[in-house]
Amino acid sequence: MFQDFSLWPASASSNSGSIDALYLFLIGISVFFSLLIVTALLFFSVRYRRRPGHRAQQIEGSLPLELLWTGVPLVLCLFIFAWGTRLFYRTQTMPEEGMRFHVTGKQWMWKIRHPSGQSEINTLHLPVGQKILLTMISEDVIHSFFVPAFRVKKDVLPGMYSSLWFTPTQVGTYHLFCAEYCGTKHSEMGGQVIVMDPAEYQAWLDGRPSERNPLANGALLFQNLRCDTCHTPGPSARGPELAGRFGRDVTLSDGQTVRFDERYVRESVLEPAKRLSAGFQPLMPSYQGQIGESDILDLSAYLKSLRSSRSPQ
Amino acid sequence: MSQKPPTYLGGEYGMRSWLLTLDHKRIALLYLLGVTFFFLLGGVFAVLVRLELLTPAGDLFQSETYNKLFTLHGVFMVFFFLIPGIPAVLGNFLLPLMIGAKDLAFPRINLLSWYIYMVGGLFTLYAMLAGGVDTGWTFYTPYSSTYANSHVIAAALGIFVSGFSSILTGVNFIATIHKLRAPGLSWFRLPLFVWAHYATSLIMVLGTPVVAITILLVAVERLFHVGLFDPALGGDPILFQHLFWFYSHPAVYIMILPAMGVISEVIACFSQKRIFGYKFVAFSSLAIAVLGFLVWGHHMFVSGQSLYAGVVFSLLSFLVAIPSAVKVFNWIATLYRGSISFEAPMLYALGFIGLFTIGGLTGLFLATLAVDVHVHDTYFVVAHFHFVMVGGTVMAYLAGLHFWWPKMLGRLYPETLARITAVIIFVGFNLTFLPQFVLGYLGMPRRYHVYPLEFQVLNVLSTAGASILGLGFAMTAVYLPWSLRYGKKATPNPFDARGLEWTTTSPPMAHNFEEVPVVSTEAYERDEPEVVHV
């Protein structure tokens, strides 16, 4: 029962230290105010206990005191708010570069796809010291990707990508949990995150059965699903050319613009008519039911790699 | 001495006279029975959940059963105990007495709201007997609307129906407080219990329709596959969370505001003082009611809502902490130079101050964006809201129940036994929930049937605490009914309290007062001559 017992979680990512510092500060504030209140409560309880000859003295109130105990907590709260928000902003803003992993959640497992194509279930091998970027989506209900040792958590939603990043700083094995209740085996939806030396990670990758990497798989899908018949360069094309578009703004047929990103790619594959590029007819069929979430992400990876010339890398 | 009219308990007898009564005091006792029944039910589920968590493996129940247990614990405790608890029992009984009225403004609607509450509760009970519900009390979509394989619709309808009871009670209280105050009882002479119930009623009336509609929409999606929340049908799962928390966060204040009202009364009585900073305490209730409507997004910091929405909700959540802090400081200041005695209600009230302080301070952790990312949906949250809901609301409910027990039923509860029980409950509570803060920061997610071995020590402590807590509740459930027969007869004002309810008989007569009282003093004013200003 006392095996591995501890009162403080392992601290193994670039986020851990700064979040722990703020948490400790909050504990300090809480202990201070709790002691203040309990001490006053106990002191008054003893000092002014009811006894013969002792009478209560009526006091209506005090404006300076009210201002004091409104003002001091307010200032402290604003300070904590500013600290927490700054840290949140820093940890939630996705960096441009890093190793991109795809995570798909479904009842009750995590499927993880490495940048080089290998996939695994309920276990995530990572190289230490690298920026890890996760793009996540659920195939059914809401899940939440939670690694306590990294102090990261993000809900994984059906129909919408969410993303998460961190840099593992300590080699070791850590818990991976689902934190959003997702049905019968919610508490068994999880496993391990194994952080390794980069060389070991490479060796681990090499030992896995080889799979097409997301880019190559995306290119293959682009052909097999016949995307290339319409999305070709030239004035007579029935669909917009896609090379060099990723990350830019697209003008829609109603005059609005939308960022050409993973989310737009996914929507266009599943509901092509919803936000149509300006100058094109709604001819494209929906691929709903014909393509899985993991493949859509590969398609995005492929489109992202296309520079303005048509030839894939 | 003129002949006393019969009390509201006497006069008429028989089932019929109770089930068709229009007397707010009798209806309050009907609510007391209902609320106690659902509390015991929710308590049994809590015991089973804690027993399962003694060991890391799922050895007592199947996962499906465990999930139903924590769902039913949450549903019954939140919707059928915490929300109606203090307002429908103590509020119903005391509001007319405190303002010198014969009854609530709409006695028939008051009875109707009890029937609606019972129908809703029994409907939910049916859902449980028919196979249970496994969505958690939060009914998150699309799990609840599409995937859950349990009696979601029956439970949802039960909650939907009982919502009307809340709305009707709220309307009734607002009308009563506006229109039926005794001559001379101006707004700033009202007991703070009345102010707290006024603020609560506003939330009941404004918030409840939203959750009712939301739950109905879940049922519509489940029944007719209309795409509202499930992306597979073209819906938006986050929309549900916005709608749900728009009510369910203010609902937290429906549970805690009346509790704060009770604490003000009890502290004023047992320290023989006026409440320090009366107006600040009164207005802080309204501030909480208003700000409480603007903080729902703090339940969604990691849900994928925009970063900027998160920032706004975080700031507003910090602001809502201020009026609560103001109340705590004013209660402490009330003790200063008081004449304090420690009967059971006061022990509960002092316990409330300590526990609610911890509950409130840990709320700041959750309002802090970066820290919430880590502790969201862990046992830290479980510990936090049990500190507020059990350490706060349940403590205050017990304080109030003991304080007004002689008034309500005409008998004194056994004092020594009640004090011992209060201490047992306090110790049991802390042992149950303090370890859960640590568990949460370690990373144990809530709603986990099985968990890693290293979390076991803290879970065993928590379960041990729960058994002590359970013992305390069980003792209360024995000695309070016992006192009805064997308790000493109560005088009109056994605790030397102030307030109109103490000027009439214990228990009060059917129409509360022999003649309409006229008020010429401030709330809690005592005969002591000197009123000093500091």
Side-chain angles (χ1 to χ4, degrees):
Chain A
M1 188 161 110
F2 286 90
Q3 196 183 333
D4 294 328
F5 173 68
S6 91
L7 294 173
W8 197 259
S11 172
S13 88
S14 49
N15 293 336
S16 309
S18 46
I19 287 176
D20 286 352
L22 179 48
Y23 181 72
L24 284 170
F25 178 77
L26 277 159
I27 289 183
I29 294 271
S30 303
V31 168
F32 173 78
F33 277 99
S34 302
L35 284 181
L36 180 78
I37 285 163
V38 170
T39 309
L41 190 153
L42 293 178
F43 177 75
F44 291 161
S45 293
V46 175
R47 176 79 175 71
Y48 303 113
R49 67 192 181 281
R50 193 170 301 170
R51 53 195 187 275
H54 172 75
R55 294 187 82 190
Q57 195 173 5
Q58 300 303 319
I59 305 169
E60 196 170 313
S62 155
L63 185 63
L65 273 177
E66 300 289 346
L67 292 176
L68 178 74
W69 60 51
T70 307
V72 171
L74 184 64
V75 170
L76 267 172
C77 278
L78 291 178
F79 176 73
I80 300 167
F81 162 74
W83 184 349
T85 302
R86 229 181 116 206
L87 191 53
F88 184 69
Y89 194 83
R90 203 185 79 207
T91 51
Q92 296 290 308
T93 312
M94 295 297 288
E96 291 292 320
E97 296 301 320
M99 294 177 67
R100 289 178 189 274
F101 287 67
H102 294 165
V103 176
T104 317
K106 60 184 273 190
Q107 288 176 325
W108 290 277
M109 61 167 81
W110 296 105
K111 289 195 292 188
I112 287 140
R113 195 122 194 269
H114 289 252
S116 46
Q118 285 85 342
S119 50
E120 51 184 329
I121 285 177
N122 288 346
T123 313
L124 172 56
H125 289 78
L126 294 173
V128 72
Q130 295 276 330
K131 260 188 195 145
I132 308 295
L133 279 59
L134 306 180
T135 304
M136 309 187 290
I137 194 158
S138 162
E139 291 184 359
D140 38 48
V141 301
I142 300 177
H143 303 281
S144 192
F145 188 92
F146 178 32
V147 183
F150 295 168
R151 314 284 188 274
V152 293
K153 181 184 293 122
K154 190 83 170 193
D155 284 6
V156 178
L157 306 160
M160 197 172 129
Y161 293 117
S162 52
S163 48
L164 188 63
W165 79 274
F166 51 83
T167 306
T169 52
Q170 297 284 328
V171 170
T173 302
Y174 309 105
H175 289 296
L176 163 62
F177 291 127
C178 173
E180 184 65 71
Y181 176 67
C182 59
T184 309
K185 294 205 177 292
H186 165 57
S187 64
E188 289 160 69
M189 177 168 171
Q192 292 178 330
V193 177
I194 301 168
V195 180
M196 318 165 95
D197 277 330
E200 275 181 59
Y201 172 69
Q202 193 52 49
W204 177 83
L205 279 181
D206 293 341
R208 300 288 295 177
S210 64
E211 292 175 53
R212 267 190 300 277
N213 68 43
L215 229 150
N217 190 43
L220 193 68
L221 285 164
F222 199 74
Q223 280 183 4
N224 289 350
L225 295 169
R226 298 263 167 260
C227 307
D228 51 353
T229 44
C230 298
H231 294 286
T232 48
S236 60
R238 277 173 291 176
E241 197 197 343
L242 301 178
R245 299 289 292 276
F246 202 97
R248 305 231 175 120
D249 283 342
V250 180
T251 309
L252 303 178
S253 52
D254 61 1
Q256 290 189 303
T257 56
V258 63
R259 176 61 56 91
F260 193 111
D261 56 6
E262 275 105 351
R263 187 177 165 174
Y264 183 62
V265 170
R266 182 176 180 280
E267 185 187 282
S268 300
V269 170
L270 301 176
E271 296 171 272
K274 197 168 168 189
R275 284 194 280 186
L276 198 64
S277 271
F280 293 93
Q281 296 299 312
L283 298 174
M284 181 171 159
S286 163
Y287 286 83
Q288 188 95 51
Q290 299 174 44
I291 181 167
E293 295 291 355
S294 177
D295 281 347
I296 299 180
L297 277 165
D298 288 354
L299 212 46
S300 275
Y302 167 68
L303 293 177
K304 198 173 191 173
S305 74
L306 292 180
R307 304 288 170 227
S308 4
S309 80
R310 185 69 184 80
S311 58
Q313 294 166 341
Chain B
M1 201 169 154
S2 65
Q3 199 186 348
K4 287 258 159 78
T7 72
Y8 78 101
L9 292 170
E12 286 183 84
Y13 297 95
M15 283 290 274
R16 200 181 146 81
S17 76
W18 279 88
L19 292 177
L20 295 178
T21 182
L22 299 179
D23 185 332
H24 67 103
K25 299 182 287 303
R26 285 192 167 201
I27 295 171
L29 291 193
L30 291 177
Y31 264 116
L32 178 63
L33 291 177
V35 161
T36 306
F37 172 71
F38 289 120
F39 177 72
L40 292 177
L41 203 60
V44 168
F45 296 132
V47 167
L48 296 176
V49 164
R50 280 306 337 157
L51 277 178
E52 170 63 78
L53 293 176
L54 258 181
T55 58
D59 33 24
L60 201 55
F61 304 108
Q62 304 283 320
S63 291
E64 265 172 39
T65 314
Y66 177 80
N67 296 345
K68 285 172 183 170
L69 287 172
F70 74 69
T71 301
L72 293 168
H73 168 67
V75 165
F76 282 111
M77 286 301 198
V78 170
F79 293 107
F80 299 101
F81 170 68
L82 287 167
I83 289 179
I86 296 178
V89 178
L90 299 177
N92 223 328
F93 196 96
L94 292 163
L95 276 187
L97 283 164
M98 283 182 168
I99 65 172
K102 282 184 186 172
D103 206 310
L104 287 175
F106 310 113
R108 282 187 176 77
I109 287 185
N110 195 23
L111 181 64
L112 176 65
S113 65
W114 180 73
Y115 276 102
I116 293 177
Y117 163 74
M118 289 309 289
V119 167
L122 294 176
F123 216 94
T124 310
L125 195 60
Y126 157 76
M128 182 192 94
L129 296 175
V133 190
D134 73 338
T135 60
W137 78 275
T138 48
F139 293 95
Y140 267 25
T141 57
Y143 182 70
S144 65
S145 62
T146 309
Y147 291 85
N149 211 354
S150 55
H151 289 70
V152 178
I153 294 178
L157 280 180
I159 293 165
F160 175 78
V161 168
S162 73
F164 286 93
S165 162
S166 256
I167 297 171
L168 293 177
T169 301
V171 169
N172 216 340
F173 283 3
I174 291 172
T176 306
I177 297 169
H178 270 278
K179 303 304 288 182
L180 298 184
R181 282 173 286 126
L185 189 54
S186 60
W187 282 89
F188 290 120
R189 285 177 174 173
L190 287 173
L192 288 161
F193 182 90
V194 178
W195 273 97
H197 275 73
Y198 187 79
T200 307
S201 304
L202 291 178
I203 308 177
M204 285 174 161
V205 172
L206 296 173
T208 314
V210 179
V211 79
I213 292 163
T214 311
I215 284 175
L216 202 62
L217 290 177
V218 170
V220 165
E221 180 165 289
R222 239 183 122 80
L223 280 172
F224 307 113
H225 303 286
V226 180
L228 295 163
F229 305 125
D230 185 357
L233 302 169
D236 180 352
I238 305 290
L239 175 65
F240 173 83
Q241 296 179 24
H242 280 291
L243 292 172
F244 181 81
W245 290 116
F246 182 81
Y247 165 78
S248 293
H249 195 78
V252 172
Y253 300 110
I254 294 182
M255 305 174 210
I256 197 68
L257 278 171
M260 292 165 157
V262 170
I263 298 305
S264 292
E265 299 300 315
V266 171
I267 287 185
C269 168
F270 293 97
S271 58
Q272 298 200 330
K273 286 278 299 278
R274 298 169 65 170
I275 287 289
F276 191 93
Y278 170 94
K279 285 191 183 175
F280 289 89
V281 178
F283 280 120
S284 61
S285 289
L286 291 183
I288 290 171
V290 172
L291 282 171
F293 271 107
L294 305 174
V295 299
W296 78 88
H298 70 212
H299 294 269
M300 300 162 62
F301 287 157
V302 301
S303 74
Q305 98 183 332
S306 98
L307 203 140
Y308 302 101
V311 171
V312 172
F313 283 122
S314 168
L315 179 62
L316 290 164
S317 304
F318 277 107
L319 294 186
V320 82
I322 305 295
S324 301
V326 166
K327 279 184 196 278
V328 170
F329 287 124
N330 277 297
W331 289 326
I332 296 287
T334 302
L335 298 177
Y336 175 69
R337 294 197 177 180
S339 171
I340 306 169
S341 66
F342 302 95
E343 279 79 3
M346 187 61 164
L347 292 183
Y348 281 113
L350 296 177
F352 172 100
I353 294 182
L355 300 179
F356 177 74
T357 298
I358 296 176
L361 285 165
T362 50
L364 297 182
F365 290 62
L366 298 167
T368 307
L369 285 162
V371 173
D372 181 68
V373 168
H374 178 60
V375 291
H376 181 83
D377 266 332
T378 67
Y379 264 82
F380 190 94
V381 177
V382 176
H384 159 71
F385 69 70
H386 280 90
F387 261 81
V388 180
M389 294 295 104
V390 185
T393 306
V394 175
M395 290 287 163
Y397 179 68
L398 289 172
L401 203 58
H402 285 83
F403 185 44
W404 285 292
W405 188 258
K407 179 57 61 185
M408 293 170 79
L409 294 150
R411 299 277 181 165
L412 295 174
Y413 59 85
E415 187 59 55
T416 309
L417 195 53
R419 287 185 193 181
I420 293 169
T421 307
V423 173
I424 289 175
I425 287 180
F426 184 81
V427 170
F429 173 84
N430 280 296
L431 185 56
T432 309
F433 293 107
L434 279 174
Q436 295 186 2
F437 284 120
V438 183
L439 267 179
Y441 203 72
L442 283 170
M444 177 164 167
R446 61 193 285 206
R447 298 169 169 174
Y448 260 33
H449 176 221
V450 300
Y451 58 84
L453 185 62
E454 71 242 39
F455 298 148
Q456 191 181 6
V457 176
L458 292 162
N459 271 295
V460 169
L461 286 178
S462 186
T463 299
S467 63
I468 299 174
L469 188 58
L471 172 71
F473 290 138
M475 287 169 68
T476 315
V478 171
Y479 73 69
L480 280 183
W482 175 89
S483 76
L484 291 182
R485 196 174 168 88
Y486 301 103
K488 269 190 234 138
K489 281 222 160 70
T491 55
N493 189 3
F495 301 118
D496 189 22
R498 293 296 174 270
L500 291 178
E501 78 268 32
W502 303 106
T503 62
T504 186
T505 51
S506 296
M509 60 208 77
H511 291 293
N512 294 348
F513 301 97
E514 280 186 275
E515 51 193 76
V516 177
V518 178
V519 180
S520 61
T521 57
E522 305 303 313
Y524 316 113
E525 194 165 296
R526 289 182 178 266
D527 303 326
E528 279 78 0
E530 71 274 53
V531 173
V532 297
H533 301 263
V534 292

